[in-house]
Amino acid sequence: MNALDPPGGRKAVAVWGIGVAVYFVAVIFRTSLGVAGLDAADRFHVNASALATFSLLQLLVYAGMQIPVGLMVDRLGTKKVLTLGAVLFTVGQLGFALSPTYDMALAARALLGCGDAMTFISVLRLGTRWFPARRGPLMAQLAGLVGMAGNLVSTLVLAPVLHGAGWVAAFAGSAVAGLVVLVPLALFLRDHPEGHGQPPSTRATGAGASGAGRASGASRGFVRRQIRASWSEPGTRLGLWVHFTTQFPAMVFLLLWGMPFLVEAQGLSRTTAGGLLTLVVASNMALGLVYGQTVGRRQSARIPLALGTVGLTALLWASVLAYPGDRAPMWLLVTLCLVLGSCGPASMIGFDFARPANPAERQGTASGITNMGGFIASMTTLLAVGVLLDATGDDYRIAFSTVFVLEALGTAQILRLRGPALGRERERRPSAPAPAAPEAAPEPEPFPHACPLPESAGREAQ
């Protein structure tokens, strides 16, 4: 282990656990609409396109905030950003519960998306600051796994409460979880272990208006340098496209369109459809550990895992959409959901390209750029599916075909960038120690026929 690496240990797990708990609650709030899509359409009297706008706006804010949040984490530290995020997503969830109109509900989801955007990058940052670098892939996968557990709570807990107690009770009650995680966050979270702090960023100095002007200029310069330096790395761009291509099929399915597709297009009951959504989450959690261990041990597995996940996802979606007849058989839907569970773990591989490509002081910015990928793809697909459903009279086969377009685009970019990114990684690796030079052959003895010295005499000569 590198002597400069953080030590890990129980304290690291405790601090990281606080951050992950905040992310867990954020995912519950983020995915709560996925089990309430049909209820939201009835409550606000909207069609498929307007319903998609809820998730679209939430993801638009989330994706748009990724680079600013990354810069904030690099500049201000994890605790401040994570605290602000928890406050915002809690207020957003409560506002969504109490909104009487569609417009107010949209504003609440936007606020929720803004707070949600501040969580995952902060958790990744905690992982890199508190644990050795070799544990990076596993910690990222574990964070994703806990996030999927939040999705599971939405499916198993929030959905029954929603249908039993009603809209306001379900969403306002869940908002209490945001207040619960704020307490340990404020009291116990630390940005880094003692002795492993980041060197302070260059700050402008000066007094009065000239000092303020110099500080403002330095801040703008910091932003430009961080973004330019991160984007210039092929590993950052490759990470973005891996995240773009792998994450969105499952995200779209879980966040909004999975329940309507299974109920309206496949004729399943809400209970059965909820079970299939749960299966996606359970598969994600199981595969997250497998992907994390595999990548941690063999970096060469990253590209095959990512592209294999994309190919298998496309194959299963094609099989379901092209199946003869009106409905696919249950075994095929189960297989689709199991495969969709691999999308989340595969998307974490994107961060395993961005992380080694950037130094510690750029990790937040690089993670923000990478994290934009999957959410841009999800936004695009959410909108496209809603528009096509309205245009085609709810033809889910045509609407979900947009998945293949984005997967083809992302795969082409991954193949284009993998060579330069992996080449730069090899250049950065510490050179192996040079092999010891072979010992020179002993010179011939000047008197080959002389009697050898006694052994003791030889030791004295040495």
Side-chain angles (χ1 to χ4, degrees), residues 248-307:
F248 80 94
M251 176 70 72
V252 169
F253 196 79
L254 290 171
L255 199 59
L256 183 61
W257 291 122
M259 181 70 78
F261 170 73
L262 294 172
V263 172
E264 296 179 351
Q266 299 301 315
L268 303 179
S269 67
R270 288 196 180 198
T271 302
T272 304
L276 288 177
L277 294 180
T278 303
L279 184 61
V280 177
V281 177
S283 173
N284 183 299
M285 295 174 70
L287 292 173
L289 293 175
V290 176
Y291 276 52
Q293 292 282 6
T294 302
V295 173
R297 292 173 180 173
R298 294 187 59 190
Q299 293 284 288
S300 60
R302 290 173 297 176
I303 291 291
L305 277 176
L307 293 180

Side-chain angles (χ1 to χ4, degrees), residues 56-332:
L56 178 66
L57 178 62
Q58 182 181 335
L59 292 185
L60 178 64
V61 172
Y62 187 104
M65 286 292 293
Q66 289 308 292
I67 292 179
V69 168
L71 292 165
M72 289 169 64
V73 170
D74 287 337
R75 188 82 173 196
L76 303 177
T78 304
K79 183 172 183 174
K80 292 179 181 178
V81 176
L82 202 55
T83 302
L84 177 60
V87 170
L88 291 177
F89 67 60
T90 301
V91 173
Q93 183 77 342
L94 183 61
F96 191 60
L98 303 177
S99 295
T101 66
Y102 176 71
D103 291 341
M104 291 181 66
L106 275 179
R109 294 307 284 187
L111 190 63
L112 192 157
C114 184
D116 183 17
M118 299 181 180
T119 58
F120 187 63
I121 293 177
S122 298
V123 171
L124 289 179
R125 178 72 165 197
L126 284 176
T128 60
R129 300 312 303 275
W130 280 89
F131 294 94
R134 60 185 172 81
R135 293 193 182 178
L138 180 59
M139 302 314 295
Q141 290 288 356
L142 286 174
L145 186 151
V146 173
M148 290 309 295
N151 202 326
L152 198 62
V153 169
S154 292
T155 305
L156 297 180
V157 178
L158 188 62
V161 173
L162 176 65
H163 299 142
W167 181 277
V168 174
F171 282 94
S174 65
V176 175
L179 300 176
V180 171
V181 295
L182 268 171
V183 176
L185 171 58
L187 294 179
F188 303 116
L189 191 88
R190 298 292 180 268
D191 285 353
H192 51 76
E194 187 175 353
H196 291 268
Q198 179 181 332
S201 302
T202 302
R203 300 179 186 272
T205 59
S210 61
R214 285 195 296 270
S216 176
S219 178
R220 289 193 297 270
F222 171 81
V223 170
R224 287 194 298 268
R225 286 193 305 272
Q226 290 287 93
I227 296 175
R228 184 167 54 245
S230 297
W231 185 253
S232 68
E233 293 291 344
T236 305
R237 300 196 300 275
L238 177 60
L240 179 146
W241 284 107
V242 168
H243 201 267
F244 176 101
T245 314
T246 53
Q247 188 204 46
F248 80 94
M251 176 70 72
V252 169
F253 196 79
L254 290 171
L255 199 59
L256 183 61
W257 291 122
M259 181 70 78
F261 170 73
L262 294 172
V263 172
E264 296 179 351
Q266 299 301 315
L268 303 179
S269 67
R270 288 196 180 198
T271 302
T272 304
L276 288 177
L277 294 180
T278 303
L279 184 61
V280 177
V281 177
S283 173
N284 183 299
M285 295 174 70
L287 292 173
L289 293 175
V290 176
Y291 276 52
Q293 292 282 6
T294 302
V295 173
R297 292 173 180 173
R298 294 187 59 190
Q299 293 284 288
S300 60
R302 290 173 297 176
I303 291 291
L305 277 176
L307 293 180
T309 300
V310 173
L312 196 56
T313 304
L315 175 63
L316 265 297
W317 263 121
S319 300
V320 169
L321 298 178
Y323 194 85
D326 294 336
R327 299 171 183 174
M330 180 58 71
W331 67 265
L332 187 54

Side-chain angles (χ1 to χ4, degrees), residues 366-459:
S367 296
I369 293 172
T370 300
N371 209 28
M372 285 177 60
F375 290 93
I376 290 173
S378 297
M379 265 191 316
T380 304
T381 309
L382 281 169
L383 178 61
V385 169
V387 170
L388 288 172
L389 285 175
D390 286 338
T392 61
D394 292 339
D395 190 328
Y396 279 89
R397 291 185 174 182
I398 295 176
F400 273 107
S401 295
T402 53
V403 169
F404 307 119
V405 177
L406 271 70
E407 285 189 325
L409 171 63
T411 299
Q413 294 298 323
I414 291 172
L415 294 175
R416 181 179 69 85
L417 288 165
R418 65 175 179 174
L422 295 178
R424 290 290 292 272
E425 270 194 25
R426 286 191 293 269
E427 292 173 6
R428 286 191 173 92
R429 287 176 191 155
S431 302
E439 295 183 3
E443 295 184 3
E445 296 178 351
F447 304 102
H449 301 291
C451 295
L453 290 171
E455 184 178 349
S456 61
R459 283 197 299 269

